[in-house]
Amino acid sequence: MFKVYTDGACKKNGKAGAKGGWAYGIYDEDNTLMLAHSGHEEDTTNQRMEITAILEACKMVQLLNKDKAIFACDIHSDSAYCIRCYAEKWYDRWESNGWKTANREKVKNRELWEELVPFFKDPRFHFIKVRGHADCDENNFVDELAQRAAVIDPEDDD
């Protein structure tokens, strides 16, 4: 069983020049950190970074288990948006509506959702909502990584 914690962050969210970061930490059964990774994106949003963090974590867990048909993975996120999409199966309606919301608007970040939905449908993956900035060391760890990634200047070689 893998436990994964994910988080996304965005500086100047919704404004020109927004800088985002995402991060995940993968833990084994003994709650020992096995792997952590983060990334940066320019001109982005917080929602996009939350989705990206979950998606990148799922891809890595799948890669780590490429030779195993059976494994289990709990993905923890403080993104109510992402977890509600999973739990309430919003993606089913989006797919059947041609990737439109209930208000007939285009689903934002469709390309990320289309990559993530197969993981939502895979019974080996479970997605769990955690309270952000609470007394959860693992969540606080990935929050810090995402915050740091959000302020990285990719042009800076230091």
Side-chain angles (χ1 to χ4, degrees):
M1 165 70 86
F2 290 91
K3 282 197 322 186
V4 179
Y5 288 81
T6 68
D7 206 0
C10 188
K11 307 298 181 186
K12 296 171 64 176
N13 189 39
K15 297 178 182 158
K19 296 177 183 233
W22 56 267
Y24 63 78
I26 300 175
Y27 296 80
D28 66 13
E29 302 97 15
D30 299 322
N31 214 38
T32 301
L33 180 66
M34 296 171 42
L35 176 67
H37 191 64
S38 63
H40 176 87
E41 192 172 311
E42 295 284 322
D43 299 316
T44 192
T45 64
N46 189 68
Q47 296 290 24
R48 189 171 179 82
M49 294 296 89
E50 294 282 4
I51 300 165
T52 300
I54 294 171
L55 176 59
E56 293 299 324
C58 289
K59 287 178 183 177
M60 181 54 71
V61 168
Q62 189 174 51
L63 182 65
L64 291 171
N65 289 283
K66 68 181 177 198
D67 297 328
K68 298 176 191 167
I70 299 172
F71 65 87
C73 179
D74 288 342
I75 306 278
H76 298 81
S77 171
D78 62 11
S79 171
Y81 179 58
C82 291
I83 299 303
R84 285 189 67 199
C85 179
Y86 165 73
E88 297 174 26
K89 297 187 178 188
W90 293 350
Y91 56 88
D92 281 341
R93 289 188 301 275
W94 293 344
E95 288 176 322
S96 66
N97 290 339
W99 287 92
K100 303 258 189 209
T101 66
N103 296 334
R104 306 302 302 155
E105 297 173 6
K106 290 180 181 178
V107 172
K108 293 179 181 172
N109 304 307
R110 174 181 172 174
E111 76 285 0
L112 294 175
W113 287 117
E114 285 181 314
E115 276 192 83
L116 185 55
V117 165
F119 292 105
F120 282 178
K121 294 178 178 181
D122 187 329
R124 298 173 296 181
F125 290 87
H126 301 98
F127 299 84
I128 301 162
K129 171 77 170 78
V130 295
R131 219 171 97 225
H133 311 288
D135 289 333
C136 177
D137 291 340
E138 297 86 357
N139 184 252
N140 290 332
F141 171 69
V142 293
D143 174 65
E144 184 177 323
L145 289 179
Q147 294 291 335
R148 286 184 190 171
V151 296
I152 290 173
D153 183 351
E155 302 296 319
D156 190 1
D157 291 335
D158 291 343

